[in-house]
Amino acid sequence: MSKLTQARNELKTRLVSVDGIDAALNPVDARDKTKHPESGAFAVVWTLDGKQEVGQKSVIWRRPFGVDIAVPWDAAADMEAADMEAYLDTLCKNIVLSLAAKWDAQLTHEVSIESLSIAYPDKGNGKAVISFEITLRIVDSQP
């Protein structure tokens, strides 16, 4: 398994470790409602266009991933709108803390989180969406 695949899997593991996120899916699985967790809160991890260079017997990836996290607006039954906003703010903080924690230096050499935003439910879909980009720098050497 390449280090790029390992880093993607680590990203998904870190997302699921955050209280309030119950699954991390690829875009194909996210379209399949049977793969959604019962809670309704899940992350979709998109592999975006990246850059790579060839080093001495290695490929150096600068790979961005887009992450969209769907959170049911009524994540807590008796929440007022302001409480839900506070819940989303806390969820964002916990996501950033989880992703910013030290990565295995043998796997990921650099982590950058950008463009974190929250979109509120529109037209009755009932979900807020937290979106951001995370770029990982990975050195994948030949065996």
Side-chain angles (χ1 to χ4, degrees), residues 23-138:
L25 307 172
N26 66 44
V28 173
D29 287 344
R31 292 181 188 103
D32 181 349
K33 293 204 185 281
T34 65
K35 305 242 174 149
H36 294 189
E38 284 185 31
S39 71
F42 63 93
V44 181
V45 178
W46 305 82
T47 302
L48 304 176
D49 291 342
K51 295 180 181 176
Q52 57 279 330
E53 357 175 325
V54 177
Q56 188 170 346
K57 296 188 177 186
S58 65
V59 175
I60 302 166
W61 303 96
R62 188 166 299 280
R63 173 62 67 196
F65 296 92
V67 179
D68 295 316
I69 301 165
V71 181
W73 184 253
D74 59 353
D78 297 324
M79 269 192 204
E80 298 288 329
D83 294 335
M84 188 60 193
E85 288 176 299
Y87 173 79
L88 293 169
D89 290 342
T90 300
L91 187 57
C92 286
K93 176 192 74 171
N94 292 338
I95 291 164
V96 170
L97 289 173
S98 175
L99 297 176
K102 186 170 173 61
W103 289 62
D104 179 349
Q106 297 298 317
L107 180 61
T108 303
H109 294 263
E110 186 180 317
V111 176
S112 169
I113 302 167
E114 300 175 18
S115 306
L116 191 128
S117 65
I118 300 172
Y120 295 95
D122 187 31
K123 298 181 183 172
N125 72 4
K127 294 187 188 307
V129 178
I130 297 170
S131 298
F132 62 93
E133 265 188 40
I134 180 169
T135 301
L136 305 176
R137 184 175 171 272
I138 303 149

